[in-house]
Amino acid sequence: MTQKLKGIIPPLLTPLTDDFNLDVLALHRLIEHLVQGGVHGVFILGTTGEATGLKYDVRQEIIKETCSAAKDRIPVMVGITDTSVGESLKLANFAKEHGAKAVVAAPPYYFNLGQQELSEYYEDLATCLPLPLYLYNMPGLTKVHIDANTAIKLSKNPNIIGLKDSSANTVYFQSLIHGIQREDFGLFVGPEEITAETVLMGGDGGVNGGANLFPRLYVELYQASLSRDFPRMVQLQKQVMEVARMLYNIGKYGSSYLKGLKGAASLLGLCNPYLAPPFKHFKEAEMETISKNLDTIKINMEKIGLSGNTEHYV
Amino acid sequence: MTQKLKGIIPPLLTPLTDDFNLDVLALHRLIEHLVQGGVHGVFILGTTGEATGLKYDVRQEIIKETCSAAKDRIPVMVGITDTSVGESLKLANFAKEHGAKAVVAAPPYYFNLGQQELSEYYEDLATCLPLPLYLYNMPGLTKVHIDANTAIKLSKNPNIIGLKDSSANTVYFQSLIHGIQREDFGLFVGPEEITAETVLMGGDGGVNGGANLFPRLYVELYQASLSRDFPRMVQLQKQVMEVARMLYNIGKYGSSYLKGLKGAASLLGLCNPYLAPPFKHFKEAEMETISKNLDTIKINMEKIGLSGNTEHYV
Amino acid sequence: MTQKLKGIIPPLLTPLTDDFNLDVLALHRLIEHLVQGGVHGVFILGTTGEATGLKYDVRQEIIKETCSAAKDRIPVMVGITDTSVGESLKLANFAKEHGAKAVVAAPPYYFNLGQQELSEYYEDLATCLPLPLYLYNMPGLTKVHIDANTAIKLSKNPNIIGLKDSSANTVYFQSLIHGIQREDFGLFVGPEEITAETVLMGGDGGVNGGANLFPRLYVELYQASLSRDFPRMVQLQKQVMEVARMLYNIGKYGSSYLKGLKGAASLLGLCNPYLAPPFKHFKEAEMETISKNLDTIKINMEKIGLSGNTEHYV
Amino acid sequence: MTQKLKGIIPPLLTPLTDDFNLDVLALHRLIEHLVQGGVHGVFILGTTGEATGLKYDVRQEIIKETCSAAKDRIPVMVGITDTSVGESLKLANFAKEHGAKAVVAAPPYYFNLGQQELSEYYEDLATCLPLPLYLYNMPGLTKVHIDANTAIKLSKNPNIIGLKDSSANTVYFQSLIHGIQREDFGLFVGPEEITAETVLMGGDGGVNGGANLFPRLYVELYQASLSRDFPRMVQLQKQVMEVARMLYNIGKYGSSYLKGLKGAASLLGLCNPYLAPPFKHFKEAEMETISKNLDTIKINMEKIGLSGNTEHYV
């Protein structure tokens, strides 16, 4: 990790078989798709990867297979978020062993922690880890927010090298950009809708779910934002917004993001639509909507010089 | 599980060594303390047991040792709450094997689930479990509330035999009492402050943390409530309120309950004060307060004919 | 206010004309209905009274007409909850002038207040008020919770004479019962589902919306609880639960309570169904359900010796 | 309102006397300060203006005096947010009479409204208003979020001409930018930390509290963002972040923003530090910190060619 990581780091979907084991072939295909799509790294076992819903042996298999598939072409970051620090460390050691470059940890998500407790938790964790750590702020799911002051304090720990923020709150993100005094500290956002604007303002990139489907779109958006190519950025941003609107809001509940993303991935031939419990994949009605929407998306992507197909990658 | 369980079921504290492994001797001592104190069962691997903070091998060891210590004198209920249904099932099978009587599961606590999703999750889980299931409503920590209508619907599943509610919302609890049409469905509350009133209104008992310290107090409160012995109930309720006020509110943060309870348990000679990460046990200043408060509590307990000492049990 | 108020204090529905002015005749009829039903007081301009949705001149008119209708037969308590302390004081002075016995104030509900800020707010308010003050804890709507420690501290102010809790959290209510050291401090609950149990445990009564419809039911429930007449209490509690289940949960949204209560009141001939904006009264479909449910309720009430009709009162 | 409003519209601080009446002279001085500072409009009776804490006659006086002071040099927008639609309409009519250009309304903030209820509320309100309406999304204080779909639907109403978003959630803001199909619909953000990035992405400006103090800073930031002058934008953004960090985070509680802003305004000679209840102005200790921080801010502002003094304006 001698050089700061930047760019588009898709939070990898976890391809599953219908008994919730890893679909190894699909995982390799998906990694190939992303590498060909130009992504700058891959983040496994995150929220989009449904990590918390998987058995631990499946989590280990994902680490092993992803590192093997990535073959040093792109760095692999491994989610080790857990309520048990012992299980986090086990995964981290396994990740180190198989060649991952960094680990990522959201706050332990059962108990409510005070900021002081959270800070001590991360300091202790960073001390024990065999790999550098990215903080992961995901308050909507963990309940625990990594306050700006806490993050700024933690950024002084050399083993902590970045933060991924999925709060969607860019006042918070601005506070980090301006409050953290370390050039080599990476600041990423989760929601793809705001990758462009945060990169314009000094952010380092996006950990964007949609990049599983259309990596080139997000990579080009990142590049256009970085080079302040506004005409191109506007085209691409519009397309990213369409993906979010047309794929992530089918059906009810917060799970529509995951179900829509995986449903679309299955229609694109990337993997099965199966989700790990507690969720179930979309039924026919929703899949039909997604299919129709994917057609629209593909047509619009071609209009801006991008392919919505995946065949040429895989 | 032929007969409905009722009464005081302490959520067992997990005695730990300073490297966060199980303190087996202390566990046996604690179980002996509870059996002698007259409790009606024991619930391991719950919130008070810090289950989510423990490694899985430690969780298994707790199941094995508790079942061995309880020796059929009291039924053992095992918490299997997990974000991964696969891990829940593994624990449940292990529990069955070692003689536990039932399992307890709060909603999977990472993702936000809709009520329909939650309902399907529990129906699927109940189908796969080797032991009867208690639902565990703990919205403050899981974010997901088991709505009254969902609970009432689930109560029709014969493999689901009860519910523990830690919401402290007795409008909700009344809705369950009046909405669930099954004589053999057990309804328990978590917070000890409301065991008396819910038993008066038809509840089946309390899963009360303080019963780790003073089992007899809670057992007598339960009995006085059940027999509507108001003069005695009032004495005991006042004492239970004093325990909560003087032990669970030292220090800041929501963790003060766990830290205070375990701190007090250590002063009573029941176990070490060590907490599993992400929490740390109280330092000297807080322990001094707890020690002084324990003295007051013991004096007041003796005034109502109860012993605050633990020696005679263990 | 020389004697502590106890019992059932209905939070008065506000009878409205279709242009959202006060239906004076209906107000007098409703008060007569309640007095005949044996209630111990009436609380106007609360949540059930839709106070925040009314113009200030309508609020004043309600004070005047209620005091006139009550004619010293029952004490009138006036809600003065407001985000502007100046407007609260104006209403309080008007209330004093017209013969009200006390005022009731929830926290100012726009800004988020810290407990210290809240405490100072109430101390200042109590100093300026011409009438004794009841605190009103309604965290679901005001966002601001009056913490137990804050309420206990405020209970030492002689101008503050009680608290109405609508949190439904009886751990909190128990903390107040045991923490407040003043015999003449009144502790009431809002939700009718828990009036019985809180009175059994030492509470002073209920500010129950359903008492607008069937005052006798709630008054008898209060009396049975107070005298620990369990067989009768169980009958009445069951009936109260039926009212809540069959009338307050029609339609979507949190507003179903208000819409259902007012819809039922209109079918009972007590007032029009009109609600003040931002709400609209139920349409035909929901009203039909309520009508059918009311029939069931009336039959069941008669079985326990109560009339579900209102004619004999008014 | 023939032309779409854009730019910096400060949410006016309300200068108060020590008995919470309007300090008319200070109001005129503050308006002069803003006009000289180049702002594009002024928004009175918003959150920063403490509208909900003021008596209604004071609110009317503010409308009258602001319109008189602005003398058609800048458009005046008037907050009419209220829980009573009747009171909102009264203020709106008063505003129209005195020459205001538009009104602004957050959702009614006592009851919890469903999106359908919210939508109908706004449609009804827009129909009755004598002036065009801006929606105001402020979920942290009103509890009610104007969902993107609701806002997009409401944007089709010709009497609704814009939205101010204070959620700080730019995923939401992007959804509005891309979902609303009306060129003349104004989209503003509240938090000054994100004015730059939202303007870069197509937003119309900022309703920024700090512009009360240093209008020129915010106006130049807006212009630099609009013209994509990145070197200048970066300088100004850094300065805006410093203002926020050094002035809005003194003391505890959410009120630190209001107390800090008004404390700083008083030190700059713009108005008294008095806040309307339920808040109290900062005491000496906090004011000293603010004073020192203001010195730093002034020095840094001069370094980028801006004056931190107010004398030349007033």
Side-chain angles (χ1 to χ4, degrees), chain A residues 43-307:
Chain A
F43 166 41
I44 57 173
L45 296 177
T47 303
T48 301
E50 301 170 79
T52 57
L54 304 172
K55 284 185 294 177
Y56 285 84
D57 51 4
V58 174
R59 298 186 208 184
Q60 291 196 343
E61 203 182 355
I62 292 166
I63 294 171
K64 203 183 101 194
E65 294 298 336
T66 306
C67 289
S68 147
K71 290 194 208 84
D72 289 322
R73 295 178 296 175
I74 49 171
V76 178
M77 302 159 76
V78 177
I80 58 165
T81 303
D82 209 295
T83 54
S84 159
V85 85
E87 299 296 342
S88 288
L89 290 176
K90 268 199 241 175
L91 279 182
N93 289 325
F94 193 88
K96 161 77 174 177
E97 217 171 288
H98 286 80
K101 287 290 181 288
V103 293
V104 182
Y109 49 98
Y110 185 71
F111 289 113
N112 292 308
L113 271 70
Q115 291 297 311
Q116 180 59 30
E117 291 173 327
L118 182 63
S119 187
E120 289 179 17
Y121 169 80
Y122 272 126
E123 296 281 9
D124 291 353
L125 181 65
T127 303
C128 302
L129 285 173
L131 286 171
L133 172 66
Y134 284 88
L135 307 176
Y136 179 6
N137 190 41
M138 178 45 118
L141 297 185
T142 65
K143 299 187 307 284
V144 181
H145 190 275
I146 309 174
D147 283 358
N149 286 337
T150 303
I152 291 167
K153 202 170 72 177
L154 288 169
S155 74
K156 288 165 191 158
N157 185 318
N159 293 337
I160 301 176
I161 61 168
L163 182 147
K164 175 198 171 184
D165 178 37
S166 288
S167 73
N169 182 319
T170 47
V171 171
Y172 172 74
F173 200 73
Q174 281 293 318
S175 300
L176 300 184
I177 288 179
H178 288 266
I180 290 176
Q181 307 295 331
R182 241 178 79 187
E183 282 300 313
D184 62 340
F185 197 88
L187 285 170
F188 295 86
V189 288
E192 54 213 67
E193 295 92 337
I194 58 174
T195 295
E197 74 189 80
T198 51
V199 168
L200 284 175
M201 300 301 288
D204 293 308
V207 183
N208 304 148
N212 282 283
L213 307 177
F214 309 116
R216 188 66 66 193
L217 169 63
Y218 296 81
V219 168
E220 288 205 17
L221 178 65
Y222 167 73
Q223 288 163 340
S225 306
L226 196 66
S227 59
R228 296 170 188 166
D229 176 352
F230 275 84
R232 182 64 175 158
M233 188 194 80
V234 166
Q235 283 183 329
L236 297 159
Q237 172 71 6
K238 195 179 158 197
Q239 187 54 57
V240 162
M241 293 304 296
E242 187 183 70
V243 168
R245 189 179 69 250
M246 296 192 90
L247 299 182
Y248 306 160
N249 294 297
I250 315 299
K252 291 184 290 185
Y253 309 130
S255 57
S256 64
Y257 160 71
L258 270 180
K259 293 176 183 171
L261 187 62
K262 217 159 188 176
S266 76
L267 291 170
L268 290 171
L270 294 168
C271 63
N272 288 314
Y274 307 128
L275 281 92
F279 295 128
K280 302 190 172 189
H281 61 89
F282 274 147
K283 299 291 182 301
E284 215 173 284
E286 290 97 344
M287 287 304 281
E288 218 164 288
T289 306
I290 290 182
S291 179
K292 255 187 294 186
N293 290 355
L294 268 181
D295 290 345
T296 306
I297 289 168
K298 284 181 191 176
I299 291 167
N300 288 332
M301 283 185 63
E302 270 160 38
K303 283 182 192 160
I304 56 169
L306 288 166
S307 168

